[in-house]
Amino acid sequence: MDWVDRLRQAVDAKGKHSLVAVDAGIHPSSLSEIINRAARPQFETIIDLCRVCDVTVGWILGEQGFELGDADYEQITAIQGWTAQKLEERNARSLVKSRRPERTVSVLPAVATPRGETWTDPDEISDRDIPREYQNQGANAVFVTRGDSMTDAGIFEGDFLFVRKSRNWRVANQHVVVCRLEGTFTVKRLVVQKDTITLVSAKQGVAPVIINEEAERFELIGIVVGVSRDLAGDR
């Protein structure tokens, strides 16, 4: 048994392959190619799959003395959080020295989220500053609401959404998220129950959208951590 066989065994033991792939931050088709020997993954991908499957890298590779367990990942997360805090403190000192208004130099550390997910999305608003209170919650992107399906949650068309980017469905469970469904940008509450993913609106009469065996239709962008509205209408 080589490392691919052990990886396949760990994935099979965890359950549904598509959910394992999403939790590890890769597409289900990529996982299928890996465990069927059609593609060679990056080492970081192997680490993520081991974390999701609750096994160590050492076990997958069949080696002694090279293992990353839960304690290792907790330490990595703690170091990333400490780094983000130190970068924020340094940026705050820079604001004082430069004597410029905080809003015009609001700098977001590249490690604002635990997994460092800072990719650029086509719908992202690049010229809007992120308030520090939302930066502290991991926000690293700004989007504008389209439509009125979340009005009962206090989110209206044209509102600015401060978002912590994440591809992890499990982490985003029960949160209001920005995502794409069949390529269309939307804002919904994400509900994950076993193998079923549901996008729920916050407006009476709007039916939920259930995604089950069609994961390719759905792309998670991130979790909404704050909302603002320009009352003067100047966007």
Side-chain angles (χ1 to χ4, degrees):
M1 177 182 291
D2 64 5
W3 72 268
V4 177
D5 294 325
R6 284 188 288 270
L7 178 60
R8 184 186 299 108
Q9 178 181 330
V11 172
D12 289 342
K14 193 64 178 179
K16 192 172 180 63
H17 286 200
S18 60
L19 294 181
V20 171
V22 171
D23 285 351
I26 63 175
H27 195 276
S29 63
S30 298
L31 175 58
S32 178
E33 291 177 353
I34 292 170
I35 63 179
N36 287 291
R37 304 176 187 272
R40 296 186 63 85
Q42 295 183 347
F43 188 65
E44 290 81 359
T45 301
I46 296 177
I47 292 176
D48 287 337
L49 287 170
C50 289
R51 171 181 54 79
V52 173
C53 294
D54 298 322
V55 297
T56 66
V57 175
W59 181 82
I60 289 293
L61 299 181
E63 297 179 357
Q64 296 293 328
F66 184 81
E67 298 183 348
L68 291 179
D70 292 340
D72 298 308
Y73 288 108
E74 290 175 1
Q75 183 67 17
I76 291 171
T77 301
I79 291 173
Q80 289 179 324
W82 177 86
T83 303
Q85 178 183 351
K86 292 303 179 182
L87 285 173
E88 185 176 341
E89 291 173 356
R90 185 190 67 178
N91 292 332
R93 289 194 296 269
S94 298
L95 291 179
V96 174
K97 292 180 180 179
S98 63
R99 296 182 180 179
R100 290 180 293 177
E102 179 176 311
R103 188 176 183 278
T104 62
V105 292
S106 181
V107 179
L108 185 67
V111 292
T113 58
R115 293 175 56 83
E117 296 173 299
T118 55
W119 70 88
T120 300
D121 187 90
D123 288 292
E124 193 171 331
I125 306 300
S126 60
D127 59 352
R128 184 81 178 189
D129 291 332
I130 301 175
R132 189 161 300 280
E133 62 179 302
Y134 299 135
Q135 289 190 33
N136 291 340
Q137 298 179 57
N140 54 3
V142 184
F143 295 84
V144 173
T145 308
R146 301 176 187 173
D148 59 356
S149 65
M150 295 298 289
T151 53
D152 290 349
I155 300 176
F156 298 87
E157 183 167 13
D159 284 355
F160 288 97
L161 306 175
F162 301 103
V163 173
R164 181 175 74 249
K165 292 182 178 179
S166 176
R167 303 290 196 192
N168 192 321
W169 299 358
R170 298 294 182 184
V171 171
N173 187 21
Q174 300 299 326
H175 290 280
V176 174
V177 301
V178 292
C179 56
R180 282 194 187 81
L181 190 60
E182 296 288 8
T184 300
F185 180 88
T186 188
V187 183
K188 293 286 186 290
R189 184 174 299 279
L190 180 69
V191 178
V192 181
Q193 294 178 322
K194 294 184 179 180
D195 295 337
T196 302
I197 300 170
T198 306
L199 298 178
V200 181
S201 299
K203 183 178 181 181
Q204 188 173 5
V206 180
V209 178
I210 299 176
I211 304 169
N212 194 350
E213 297 297 335
E214 303 174 83
E216 70 278 0
R217 296 175 53 212
F218 173 69
E219 178 188 1
L220 176 64
I221 299 173
I223 301 169
V224 177
V225 300
V227 181
S228 74
R229 185 173 305 129
D230 285 347
L231 298 180
D234 182 12
R235 298 188 176 91

